[in-house]
Amino acid sequence: MPGERLTVSGSDVGRFHGVPGTIVEVTNQEEAESKSQEQGGCLHFLQMFHCSHRRQSSSYVVTDTVVTDEVVKPAPLPEPPQPHTGDNELEELMLSVHSVDLLSSKTGQNRLEHHTDLYHGNELIIRRGQTFQIELDLSRPFNSNTDKLHLDLKTGPLPMVSKGTHVIIQLVEELEDDRWEAKIVEQNGNRIKLSVNSHAKAVIGQYKLTVMVKSPKGECATTHDPSKDIIMLFNPWCEDDTVYMDDEEEKKEYVLNDTGILYYGTEKQIGGRTWNYGQFLEGMLQACLYLLEKSEIPPSGRGDPVNVVRVISAMINSPDDNGVLAGNWSGNYVGGVSPTAWNGSVDILKKYHKEGGLPVKYGQCWVFSGVTTTVLRCLGIPCRSVTNFQSAHDTDVSLTTDVYFDENMEPLEELNADSVWNFHVWNDCWMARQDLPPGMGGWQALDSTPQETSQGTFRCGPASVTAIRTGQVYLKHDTPFIFAEVNSDKIYWQRKLDGTFTQICSEKKAVGHFISTKAVGSDERADITHLYKHTEGSEEERIAVETASRYGSRPDVYSTPMAEDVSVEVKMEGEGPRMGADAQLTIVVTNLSSQTRRTTLHSQVAVMYYTGVLKATFKKDTIPVELKPNEVKTMEWVLPYHSYQDQLVDQAALMLTLSGRVSETQQVLATQTSFRLRTPDLSIEAVGEAVVGKKMAANITFTNPLPRTLRGVVFRVEGLGLGLGLQKVHKVVVGDVGSHSTVTRTEHFTPTQAGPRKLVASLDCKQLTQVHGIADIFVQDQ
């Protein structure tokens, strides 16, 4: 806060040469001013004297008196310093930090820009990958020629630079994206304002801040003040953060909304109850950070949301780690609160935190889910509670729900461990999955209700919802279990006289109905079943079920293909499709058998962010294929420009998915291909002789590949040693560029350094990205 001062300690960080153990205690501003007046203004000089002069003595503490090993007496006041004049004045004074202002008010710029103004209190709560400002009050004006300054941030019990838990933030001339750095943006007398940038994959949690300053006379560091701690959260507003979500309304719903609706009942009688998540209330952020401290995850692992949500799914339940909630399905809730009596997460998390990690009694699935939503939204991960009606519980990883009968069709209760719940509530959280193949990002399912263990702990997920939908259950984490919950077949088995079992019938639409969550921006129920499974009974849905079952404990539950003699692959000519034109790929289907083969290929194309998150499927087709014996059939697949022109996002790729089943053999065919639409290059041509100090030019040419006008085009040009804008980015405003039009701009510059140089240019335009060019220029000396 303005006026507060931090303790300057040589014993904590960097002792001063010749002054062992010196501690300078700087009290609050009012007290310091009062003492200064009483002692004729000498206190400030006394403090500075002991920070900047070298002397050999035993340890002592400087406050109002000097303490030595021999005697305690009033400190002799040195002669007043002679006034300094000229440029040497700053060099002759020790530089120290009087106070740090984190500008952390709820209504201030930092909290508003970081979307953390809803959190209780006036701590500095920021989101990673985004700049924030702090102000430092120094002992004298900062001289960038002779003074040095850096910030130290530490988190966890054993901070290490190599682990990302000890961050040293140096001053730079210009801030760049995706790195820790700071820049002086204002200087007014002794006060400077820093703009600080954090890495988009920074460890989240509570950081201890110290400031180190160094001048020709020595160095000083502020001691750690807990009131100056900085709390770092995930950032769904930052494109480089793996939890980035581009839709503003969805961020309002899945990060900032502190209430929601949990659904329960049966598929024919769906009920909803309001749940108070309360992630911004007093004490909630501290309770959520306490969960991370109490968990198994080391501080260095808290930068990866996959790790964090997996640990949270374990910490919300209590059987093996004394997590937040004790589950109870007995109907006897003596000694605790009935699960149906809770209205929100706040009391639960506060009680758990206050009692030092003693599990709160009691919870069932909707309570586990509601608390999970609170914690993840509080930490900055988009999250929602999801209800699945007719939810299967697969106990043997068969990926089927099995019901066993004896020879007389009497149920074998000891074998019937699988069950189907009327409803079950879990969570979806949003993130890229860079640990999985492309296309598996987006919504991830996780379940905090303790049902089955995963790697020895009661937890479940995060599992890619796309992987669940397509039956790719071999992808981590716990995808088979959640697949079985929403899309397993119910299979009935009868024991024969010899003790073996035979399949007598099956239900293919028994589980996974009306998967529900609260709609974005309203209190309506949104049905998201289509995200978890293809249309019930469709060929794609059957392929997903049978694909999944082959990775289960009973892979032969469905008839295995009589042969696998047909293959399908996608080929791309040359460098691939160009932006602005129809995208054309080639599908090659090969029949290796001596008999005719028939199939229907189902194709769908979706936009995919560079992080592997699928945005939307926007085109579906079916392609009937008949193959003669040993035939190789080549088919052209065309995606017209008008189909994708309004779908693309920054740095986006497209993903084509093909699936089908061979009629004669029941062989399943499936393949996925991702491809990027190539953008044109900027053409850069040097004009004139390249000589140091001699003016020259370069022509930058661009042709609009799209059949529509590009609005507000800007060229960004830079070149080290070429004298362009003092080596900073130089902007060339081009304006609108018509459909298929070509524009050329000439840029003049005077090289300042000899040798091989590169002139780099990029195009800045909302409708077209990833357009750039480069020219190699050899500059001769004068």
Side-chain angles (χ1 to χ4, degrees):
M1 296 295 291
E4 290 181 352
R5 296 181 180 262
L6 301 185
T7 304
V8 181
S9 170
S11 60
D12 284 350
V13 226
R15 293 177 180 267
F16 313 126
H17 297 295
V19 190
T22 303
I23 299 177
V24 182
E25 293 184 352
V26 186
T27 61
N28 66 62
Q29 194 166 1
E30 293 180 1
E31 185 179 345
E33 290 174 353
S34 173
K35 289 187 177 183
S36 177
Q37 291 172 359
E38 292 174 5
Q39 300 174 7
C42 293
L43 177 60
H44 175 70
F45 172 72
L46 182 61
Q47 294 166 341
M48 193 58 63
F49 175 83
H50 287 294
C51 198
S52 60
H53 286 68
R54 300 179 180 180
R55 58 186 296 169
Q56 300 295 327
S57 67
S58 55
S59 299
Y60 55 84
V61 176
V62 179
T63 52
D64 292 336
T65 59
V66 173
V67 182
T68 68
D69 291 338
E70 300 175 359
V71 66
V72 177
K73 61 182 179 179
L77 297 179
E79 292 296 324
Q82 297 300 314
H84 292 282
T85 59
D87 294 335
N88 294 327
E89 180 179 0
L90 295 184
E91 297 179 8
E92 295 181 7
L93 291 176
M94 184 72 177
L95 181 67
S96 61
V97 180
H98 278 182
S99 67
V100 178
D101 188 347
L102 296 182
L103 306 175
S104 57
S105 166
K106 288 179 62 173
T107 58
Q109 178 185 357
N110 281 335
R111 296 277 295 267
L112 289 172
E113 288 184 350
H114 285 253
H115 303 92
T116 59
D117 52 301
L118 295 176
Y119 288 88
H120 175 83
N122 285 311
E123 300 164 287
L124 181 55
I125 306 167
I126 57 175
R127 299 187 188 275
R128 64 185 191 175
Q130 190 172 336
T131 58
F132 60 97
Q133 282 70 45
I134 67 172
E135 290 185 350
L136 305 178
D137 186 17
L138 306 176
S139 58
R140 61 165 171 79
F142 185 83
N143 185 343
S144 59
N145 294 322
T146 58
D147 299 331
K148 303 293 183 185
L149 181 152
H150 73 257
L151 308 179
D152 244 31
L153 290 177
K154 298 179 180 180
T155 185
L158 187 62
M160 298 176 64
V161 172
S162 61
K163 299 291 187 182
T165 51
H166 178 193
V167 181
I168 301 171
I169 306 174
Q170 304 283 1
L171 288 183
V172 296
E173 290 293 323
E174 290 295 333
L175 296 177
E176 297 183 27
D177 291 337
D178 211 15
R179 64 182 63 186
W180 285 101
E181 57 196 357
K183 175 186 177 182
I184 297 176
V185 290
E186 289 180 20
Q187 184 162 358
N188 184 13
N190 293 5
R191 198 167 184 84
I192 60 172
K193 186 174 186 178
L194 300 180
S195 182
V196 186
N197 195 36
S198 62
H199 197 286
K201 292 182 172 58
V203 169
I204 68 156
Q206 189 156 335
Y207 285 84
K208 299 175 181 178
L209 169 68
T210 55
V211 184
M212 175 71 74
V213 291
K214 185 176 182 181
S215 63
K217 290 294 183 179
E219 61 183 23
C220 286
T222 62
T223 56
H224 168 239
D225 178 353
S227 69
K228 304 296 182 182
D229 284 355
I230 296 174
I231 297 175
M232 180 76 73
L233 304 177
F234 290 105
N235 193 353
W237 284 267
C238 173
E239 292 186 15
D240 293 319
D241 196 320
T242 45
V243 302
Y244 171 68
M245 179 176 262
D246 69 336
D247 189 288
E248 284 299 323
E249 293 304 311
E250 290 187 345
K251 280 182 287 210
K252 288 179 184 176
E253 181 67 50
Y254 299 131
V255 182
L256 300 180
N257 196 350
D258 56 5
T259 60
I261 298 176
L262 307 182
Y263 296 97
Y264 64 96
T266 68
E267 61 179 302
K268 294 182 179 179
Q269 294 174 303
I270 297 177
R273 60 175 300 176
T274 298
W275 191 265
N276 292 319
Y277 298 124
Q279 67 267 32
F280 303 120
L281 294 180
E282 182 179 4
M284 294 300 284
L285 179 55
Q286 289 69 28
C288 294
L289 292 176
Y290 175 70
L291 271 188
L292 289 181
E293 293 173 14
K294 202 171 181 298
S295 72
E296 65 183 37
I297 187 172
S300 59
R302 296 174 191 169
D304 184 354
V306 176
N307 291 341
V308 170
V309 301
R310 186 152 173 78
V311 163
I312 292 300
S313 79
M315 286 301 301
I316 298 300
N317 64 65
S318 65
D320 44 25
D321 51 16
N322 286 319
V324 176
L325 278 162
N328 188 338
W329 288 264
S330 69
N332 179 4
Y333 307 117
V334 173
V337 176
S338 166
T340 57
W342 299 112
N343 291 314
S345 311
V346 178
D347 289 346
I348 295 170
L349 284 167
K350 281 189 173 181
K351 181 178 175 63
Y352 182 75
H353 187 201
K354 181 180 178 181
E355 296 183 357
L358 189 66
V360 178
K361 302 176 180 179
Y362 292 103
Q364 291 182 9
C365 66
W366 65 90
V367 188
F368 289 109
S369 173
V371 174
T372 300
T373 299
T374 296
V375 174
L376 295 189
R377 288 187 184 181
C378 186
L379 298 178
I381 300 175
C383 185
R384 63 190 183 189
S385 290
V386 171
T387 302
N388 178 38
F389 293 93
Q390 293 297 103
S391 186
H393 180 175
D394 175 27
T395 59
D396 59 0
V397 204
S398 65
L399 279 75
T400 55
T401 302
D402 301 296
V403 183
Y404 294 93
F405 298 92
D406 65 12
E407 299 83 351
N408 301 315
M409 289 302 292
E410 294 292 331
L412 291 166
E413 297 299 340
E414 67 275 14
L415 296 181
N416 290 331
D418 290 355
S419 59
V420 177
W421 300 17
N422 283 340
F423 73 97
H424 182 47
V425 190
W426 62 73
N427 295 84
D428 282 347
C429 59
W430 180 273
M431 67 185 69
R433 288 298 298 271
Q434 296 170 335
D435 56 327
L436 300 182
M440 295 299 143
W443 288 117
Q444 313 291 313
L446 69 148
D447 194 344
S448 301
T449 301
Q451 296 179 86
E452 302 292 331
T453 59
S454 171
Q455 295 177 310
T457 301
F458 280 102
R459 59 185 168 189
C460 184
S464 166
V465 171
T466 299
I468 294 165
R469 186 174 190 259
T470 54
Q472 297 179 71
V473 297
Y474 48 85
L475 297 174
K476 60 184 182 182
H477 294 282
D478 309 310
T479 312
F481 184 81
I482 301 176
F483 177 90
E485 287 184 299
V486 300
N487 208 12
S488 58
D489 287 350
K490 196 171 186 178
I491 298 182
Y492 297 85
W493 303 85
Q494 184 179 19
R495 187 171 62 193
K496 296 190 293 185
L497 292 175
D498 62 1
T500 61
F501 286 86
T502 184
Q503 182 178 333
I504 54 176
C505 67
S506 64
E507 292 181 66
K508 294 182 171 58
K509 301 179 181 180
V511 305
H513 301 164
F514 299 103
I515 303 176
S516 303
T517 191
K518 178 188 172 299
V520 173
S522 79
D523 288 339
E524 299 298 315
R525 182 182 68 87
D527 192 309
I528 57 171
T529 308
H530 63 284
L531 297 181
Y532 274 86
K533 58 201 292 191
H534 291 284
T535 303
E536 201 77 72
S538 67
E539 186 72 3
E540 298 103 312
E541 187 262 346
R542 286 290 90 199
I543 288 172
V545 170
E546 295 183 27
T547 298
S549 71
R550 289 171 191 165
Y551 296 93
S553 59
R554 197 179 292 116
D556 55 352
V557 67
Y558 299 100
S559 58
T560 55
M562 293 179 286
E564 294 190 349
D565 46 28
V566 177
S567 65
V568 59
E569 63 176 324
V570 178
K571 294 185 176 181
M572 190 163 52
E573 293 294 327
E575 296 181 339
R578 283 185 171 274
M579 176 73 74
D582 294 348
Q584 188 167 319
L585 303 175
T586 302
I587 300 173
V588 180
V589 189
T590 304
N591 179 12
L592 297 176
S593 78
S594 56
Q595 297 178 327
T596 299
R597 296 288 184 252
R598 298 177 184 84
T599 186
T600 297
L601 289 177
H602 300 268
S603 76
Q604 65 178 44
V605 63
V607 174
M608 184 173 66
Y609 293 93
Y610 78 96
T611 56
V613 175
L614 290 180
K615 179 193 177 195
T617 297
F618 61 89
K619 189 175 186 294
K620 293 184 178 183
D621 285 308
T622 55
I623 310 169
V625 181
E626 182 171 342
L627 298 166
K628 297 175 183 177
N630 299 304
E631 181 182 7
V632 177
K633 181 165 284 188
T634 301
M635 300 170 290
E636 298 301 323
W637 179 85
V638 178
L639 178 66
Y641 168 73
H642 66 78
S643 296
Y644 70 77
Q645 63 175 339
D646 297 323
Q647 302 291 333
L648 296 181
V649 293
D650 188 24
Q651 302 187 54
L654 299 174
M655 175 171 279
L656 172 65
T657 301
L658 296 173
S659 62
R661 189 198 304 271
V662 179
S663 303
E664 291 79 9
T665 63
Q666 299 303 298
Q667 176 190 351
V668 169
L669 304 173
T671 187
Q672 285 186 316
T673 302
S674 60
F675 60 95
R676 187 175 66 86
L677 296 166
R678 289 193 302 118
T679 51
D681 292 330
L682 289 179
S683 173
I684 306 176
E685 181 184 3
V687 179
E689 191 177 14
V691 180
V692 171
K694 183 178 179 180
K695 194 172 184 179
M696 65 176 298
N699 292 329
I700 305 171
T701 302
F702 165 69
T703 299
N704 178 8
L706 304 183
R708 61 176 176 176
T709 300
L710 298 178
R711 305 291 182 188
V713 174
V714 174
F715 293 159
R716 298 169 62 87
V717 187
E718 56 186 306
L720 297 178
L722 293 176
L724 272 164
L726 299 177
Q727 299 187 356
K728 297 179 182 178
V729 176
H730 180 62
K731 294 183 180 179
V732 180
V733 177
V734 179
D736 296 346
V737 180
S739 168
H740 301 299
S741 296
T742 299
V743 294
T744 299
R745 293 291 184 270
T746 301
E747 190 65 21
H748 297 275
F749 54 95
T750 303
T752 58
Q753 295 181 33
R757 298 286 145 194
K758 293 184 183 295
L759 181 63
V760 181
S762 63
L763 179 139
D764 191 358
C765 172
K766 287 185 177 180
Q767 299 138 298
L768 188 64
T769 62
Q770 293 286 39
V771 178
H772 40 77
I774 187 171
D776 290 305
I777 299 174
F778 188 87
V779 180
Q780 300 176 15
D781 212 342
Q782 287 180 324

